[in-house]
Structure formats: structure tokens, C-alpha cells
Amino acid sequence: DVKVTQSSRYLVKRTGEKVFLECVQDMDHENMFWYRQDPGLGLRLIYFSYDVKMKEKGDIPEGYSVSREKKERFSLILESASTNQTSMYLCASSSFGGNQPQHFGDGTRLSIL
Amino acid sequence: LAKTTQPISMDSYEGQEVNITCSHNNIATNDYITWYQQFPSQGPRFIIQGYKTKVTNEVASLFIPADRKSSTLSLPRVSLSDTAVYYCLVGDRMDSSYKLIFGSGTRLLVRP
């Protein structure tokens, strides 16, 4: 089974802090994704990566950056956290191609105070 | 961009068949339709995927009409444990990259 592991289930940070969310997958997948999930809004794509050091913006990239230095690891960075970034963050991975099923981690619930 | 529309919520009873329809009027020629299930405090889980006609696996069936502008997820004989949010997903290719569009999800409540 594919396993996607997110480093923290719950995280509390303060406004203005730099925040790192880490995600690791163990199936040698080319594609990795970061979403945020908010009540009533479903899942919204922040960034995705189709290869090491490659990234593409999703629907809501503002205020976020990403890093993919190794194939198995995809990091989401909040450069200067703000309260409107309080949310559930979900990482996913899939094999190459736009129609491959995505495998999700269990999420990080991030609170910015 | 392909956009999906689903009912916000549905109610059912144990043992009934449940059909959830997703509308995707602008689906691209090469795109597949994928459904996910999500329980509270968990990430979405892949259920089924199809391109056209009918696909069936051990948990669900997916019906796609010839024009592919909609799809219906069918859950046979639901149980309480099927209470979850169900998402319809349509891939959308733009130039050399692609964006995946999640619908807003359908919250299914199965009652005893």
C-alpha cells in the first residue's frame, strides 16, 4: 500500500512565523500535491510538483512556497504565517500522468494564533 | 476549466442503494473521472475511476453517459460506515501542466 506521511497531525504557530509542513511518500511517485481544506470550500490545490525541483502553482498559491529536493519529499512553506492560513493541509502523491489516482496523507491541522 | 457540481448532501438508510451524480460540462477529451471518499480527520481515499460507460469494482459502480458531461457514483446496499463526504474529480490539462479540480463534495449520511 502507498503510504503518504505528514510530519505533524496538529501544529500551532504564531502570526509572522515561518512554518514548514513536511510530506513523505514511499511509492516512488513522480507527482506530489499540497491542498488546503476549509469548511464549505472542499479541497483547493496550493501547489504541485511533477519532478524533483519542479513545481507548478495551483488555485491558491499566494502566501505559500514549496520545495522538492528529493523525489519522496515535498515541503510546504508559509513564509510569514497569517491567521487566514489556519486550515487543514493535505499532502498527496500519484504516479506520472494527469489521471492517476492520488494517495493522501491524513492531514495537518494548522492553527495560526 | 472543467468545473464539477454535486449535491451538497444526501440522506439514506442502511441497505439502500445510493446514487450521487456529478456534473462536469467542460470535461476535456482525455480526462478521466475519479471519485474519492473522505472520513473525518482523514485524507480522501480513492474509490473508483472511469472514462466512459460503466466501471465496477468491489465497493462501487460508476456510470458515465456517452456525452461524458456527468457521472453517477453508485454505492450498493450502504451501511453506517459509508457515512462520509464523496468528491468527484475531473482532470483538466492546460498546456504542459495540469490542474485537478475537486468538486465541493457530497456529504452522505446513512441512517439505521
Side-chain angles (χ1 to χ4, degrees), chain A residues 17-77:
Chain A
E17 280 192 72
K18 189 169 187 176
V19 181
F20 293 85
L21 301 183
E22 306 288 344
C23 175
V24 177
Q25 51 95 3
D26 66 357
M27 282 300 291
D28 202 36
H29 281 166
E30 288 78 11
N31 299 328
M32 295 190 75
F33 308 84
W34 275 107
Y35 295 89
R36 65 177 283 177
Q37 184 171 32
D38 301 288
L41 296 177
L43 276 76
R44 294 180 291 168
L45 181 64
I46 303 172
Y47 268 98
F48 70 91
S49 169
Y50 52 91
D51 201 352
V52 175
K53 297 190 185 296
M54 306 305 289
K55 62 184 179 184
E56 291 283 347
K57 293 180 180 179
D59 293 322
I60 51 166
E62 296 78 19
Y64 303 94
S65 63
V66 290
S67 173
R68 192 160 180 207
E69 297 297 319
K70 294 184 178 181
K71 190 175 186 180
E72 68 271 18
R73 187 180 297 271
F74 193 34
S75 302
L76 180 68
I77 304 157

Side-chain angles (χ1 to χ4, degrees), chain B residues 17-21 35 47-48 54-57 59-63 71-78:
Chain B
E17 179 184 73
V18 172
N19 296 308
I20 306 173
T21 296
W35 285 80
I47 303 175
I48 197 167
K54 177 184 175 183
V55 179
T56 298
N57 62 20
V59 297
S61 294
L62 179 60
F63 298 91
S71 58
T72 299
L73 174 72
S74 180
L75 304 172
R77 298 179 297 282
V78 293

Side-chain angles (χ1 to χ4, degrees), chain B residues 90-101:
Chain B
V90 175
D92 186 10
R93 296 188 185 277
M94 296 177 64
D95 299 325
S96 60
S97 64
Y98 59 90
K99 295 176 68 174
L100 301 173
I101 312 297

Side-chain angles (χ1 to χ4, degrees), chain B residues 34-86:
Chain B
T34 310
W35 285 80
Y36 290 81
Q37 175 192 56
Q38 186 177 25
F39 299 110
S41 300
Q42 293 185 23
R45 183 174 68 96
F46 171 80
I47 303 175
I48 197 167
Q49 184 181 69
Y51 183 79
K52 61 180 179 181
T53 63
K54 177 184 175 183
V55 179
T56 298
N57 62 20
E58 62 276 9
V59 297
S61 294
L62 179 60
F63 298 91
I64 304 169
D67 66 6
R68 304 201 327 123
K69 294 185 176 183
S70 65
S71 58
T72 299
L73 174 72
S74 180
L75 304 172
R77 298 179 297 282
V78 293
S79 63
L80 298 177
S81 63
D82 292 317
T83 292
V85 178
Y86 293 82

